[in-house]
Amino acid sequence: MPLEPGKPRAGNGEENPESTCHNRQDDSETENLHNRLSEGTEISHSGNTLPSVSPNLVSVEELIEAQKGVCNMALAHEIVVDESFIIKQRDLPESGFEKTIEGIMKKAFWDSLQAQLSEDPPVYDHAIKLLGEIKESLLSFLLPGHTRLRNQINEVLDLELIKQEAENGALHIPKLADFIIGMMGTLCAPIRDDEIKIIRDISDVVALFREIFTVLDLMKLDMVNFAISSIRPHLMKQSVEYERKSFQEFFDKQHGSLDITTKWLQEAASDVLSSDSNISVPGGAVAAAAPEISTLCPTTVLNHAYVTLLKLDHVNRLFPETVLMDQSRFEEMQMELNQLIIIAAVLLVIYNMTGAAISGLSGFLDRLKRIIKVLLTGMHSLFTHPDFPEDAPCVKQSEISCSPWRTWSHWKRVGRNNHQISSPCKL
């Protein structure tokens, strides 16, 4: 809480002993609090002697359980905070090592199936396993009340019966594929109707299996996103208590997991205390707090700490643990703040140098802000990219509808009836 300035001493310049004693006591309390804040962030040790902190050994099972709890808490947090949050497929870079390995393994997998089906007589061991996986996927889409559909799937995709047909040479995979595609069309979302139509036109068995599994993966994502949208209202009612409980459980198992947060809040408290202690009144006496100077308002410290996150160096400094799940949002706000500062500075310079010449032009300010914002697009990532050439232009001409000079000429023609506008080259 900011310190309230004290009232000037009454009298004919005589010093009040009680006030002097009170100011000296305030100075002592301020110094003590500064010392406590600084000592809280330091661990003193000399030589090769380790600090006297009891080791906290954690088993692998506890680490896995803690990681699972953090992942669940982060997922619930994103669902509540981001209304447009959905689960998407993982897109690997085309030239990446992982993408290459994945392509090699998939090709070997489907080549093995093709080789078995090309034998004489065909071998259906691999295909039967795939039919079993398809059956499990279809059953996972059903609700408890879908009894008729469940019975149909169990009846047609009876693996024991399919094995007997394969042994006797009576297995007809295209017939089973027609049933699977029809069931997928019944259970899928309307957005997948085009994929279902494409699958119906495939005649090759291996390509058919490959496309069926591709569409099944998309249907699983659709089901997950539908579940997320369904539980979002319930999570919003219980998110605060759930995150508090989950974080407390994680903190109880992982002691010392809030070191960065502790240092962050201590620095904020020290900054607030320094700004309060620098408030002076006429006469040079340090201002006194209402109850006592060592009492800091937690809300003020927390607000100041959040403001410092907008100026934090995200590259060279770690983010506090308690707000780590919102780091990307803070970084985005920081970039928007920097862009806003630059726009305001440019507008201030322009209006200070041109004066009343453009102050009365309707709509000029809004258009100028839009142009500056376009010019600043990508300002945080363009020049720091390793592949960005030194001689490349900042913004291509095609990215801007008109140049600033053309805009100036336009306003010069339209709005100089009552104003004398000088050329921008003279600015």
Side-chain angles (χ1 to χ4, degrees):
M1 178 180 294
L3 300 179
E4 298 178 0
K7 297 181 180 180
R9 293 189 299 268
N12 299 324
E14 297 180 0
E15 184 175 356
N16 190 346
E18 295 182 358
S19 177
T20 304
C21 180
H22 181 70
N23 289 336
R24 292 177 180 175
Q25 183 179 1
D26 291 341
D27 294 340
S28 177
E29 291 178 356
T30 303
E31 184 178 358
N32 292 336
L33 185 55
H34 273 299
N35 293 334
R36 292 199 299 269
L37 289 174
S38 60
E39 290 174 358
T41 58
E42 298 179 358
I43 300 178
S44 58
H45 58 277
S46 58
N48 297 325
T49 305
L50 295 176
S52 58
V53 179
S54 58
N56 184 24
L57 301 179
V58 182
S59 63
V60 178
E61 292 77 8
E62 292 177 344
L63 287 177
I64 296 176
E65 184 179 357
Q67 181 185 11
K68 182 179 179 181
V70 172
C71 291
N72 292 337
M73 182 173 59
L75 179 60
H77 181 79
E78 288 296 327
I79 293 174
V80 173
V81 175
D82 189 1
E83 295 182 356
S84 61
F85 175 78
I86 58 175
I87 303 296
K88 299 180 181 179
Q89 274 189 322
R90 185 184 180 191
D91 295 330
L92 300 175
E94 293 294 333
S95 59
F97 177 76
E98 191 173 355
K99 183 71 173 181
T100 304
I101 296 298
E102 181 184 13
I104 294 174
M105 295 180 66
K106 286 184 176 180
K107 185 177 184 301
F109 180 85
W110 297 115
D111 289 345
S112 175
L113 176 62
Q114 183 68 52
Q116 289 187 356
L117 297 178
S118 301
E119 295 183 8
D120 189 19
V123 178
Y124 294 104
D125 294 341
H126 199 167
I128 293 174
K129 292 180 180 179
L130 296 180
L131 290 173
E133 295 181 8
I134 294 174
K135 177 182 177 181
E136 293 178 0
S137 298
L138 293 176
L139 291 176
S140 65
F141 297 139
L142 300 180
L143 298 176
H146 294 163
T147 305
R148 183 178 61 84
L149 295 178
R150 182 175 287 101
N151 293 335
Q152 289 182 2
I153 295 174
N154 290 327
E155 180 181 353
V156 177
L157 298 180
D158 187 356
L159 298 183
E160 295 298 330
L161 179 60
I162 292 175
K163 289 180 181 179
Q164 294 178 7
E165 292 178 351
E167 293 173 357
N168 297 325
L171 180 61
H172 189 60
I173 292 183
K175 181 180 179 181
L176 296 176
D178 290 339
F179 170 79
I180 292 172
I181 296 172
M183 188 61 63
M184 290 171 61
T186 303
L187 299 175
C188 72
I191 196 176
R192 304 302 174 194
D193 290 341
D194 294 338
E195 284 87 347
I196 298 297
K197 292 179 181 179
I198 294 175
I199 295 178
R200 293 184 186 276
D201 299 333
I202 299 177
S203 57
D204 183 68
V205 176
V206 176
L208 183 62
F209 271 115
R210 183 169 57 246
E211 293 302 321
I212 285 176
F213 276 97
T214 300
V215 177
L216 284 176
D217 291 339
L218 296 176
M219 291 174 61
K220 292 177 181 178
L221 286 179
D222 296 337
M223 184 63 68
V224 170
N225 292 326
F226 174 75
I228 289 175
S229 62
S230 301
I231 65 175
R232 178 176 285 113
H234 304 283
L235 281 178
M236 294 180 67
K237 296 179 182 179
Q238 305 175 4
S239 61
V240 176
E241 292 297 330
Y242 171 75
E243 290 191 28
R244 182 183 291 113
K245 179 181 177 181
S246 301
F247 195 88
Q248 186 63 42
E249 292 177 356
F250 173 77
F251 179 72
D252 293 339
K253 296 177 182 178
Q254 302 291 327
H255 296 288
S257 57
L258 296 179
D259 294 339
I260 302 176
T261 301
T262 303
K263 182 179 179 181
W264 168 55
L265 293 177
Q266 287 175 341
E267 291 177 353
S270 180
D271 292 343
V272 172
L273 185 63
S274 299
S275 61
D276 289 348
S277 61
N278 290 333
I279 299 176
S280 59
V281 296
V286 179
E292 55 181 12
I293 199 169
S294 60
T295 303
L296 289 175
C297 178
T299 304
T300 303
V301 175
L302 189 60
N303 290 339
H304 180 77
Y306 279 124
V307 171
T308 59
L309 293 179
L310 299 177
K311 302 180 292 183
L312 187 68
D313 185 3
H314 297 276
V315 177
N316 300 320
R317 183 164 179 177
L318 297 176
F319 215 70
E321 299 90 347
T322 51
V323 290
L324 189 60
M325 292 184 290
D326 295 316
Q327 181 176 3
S328 60
R329 297 182 180 88
F330 277 99
E331 292 178 358
E332 183 178 355
M333 286 190 293
Q334 185 181 37
M335 290 187 291
E336 293 179 356
L337 176 61
N338 294 335
Q339 187 182 71
L340 182 62
I341 293 173
I342 295 177
I343 293 176
V346 172
L347 293 177
L348 182 62
V349 171
I350 292 176
Y351 272 79
N352 282 340
M353 299 188 68
T354 57
I358 61 175
S359 60
L361 296 179
S362 175
F364 179 76
L365 178 61
D366 293 335
R367 186 161 187 173
L368 186 60
K369 286 190 293 185
R370 289 196 300 268
I371 294 175
I372 297 174
K373 191 171 184 180
V374 172
L375 293 173
L376 295 178
T377 300
M379 58 174 285
H380 300 281
S381 60
L382 186 61
F383 299 102
T384 58
H385 196 279
D387 299 331
F388 180 73
E390 296 180 357
D391 56 347
C394 297
V395 181
K396 297 181 180 179
Q397 183 66 26
S398 59
E399 296 178 358
I400 308 177
S401 59
C402 59
S403 66
W405 311 129
R406 181 179 177 182
T407 304
W408 181 273
S409 302
H410 168 76
W411 287 110
K412 183 177 180 181
R413 292 194 306 268
V414 173
R416 71 172 186 176
N417 294 330
N418 300 321
H419 300 277
Q420 295 294 330
I421 305 178
S422 58
S423 173
C425 298
K426 299 179 181 180
L427 298 180

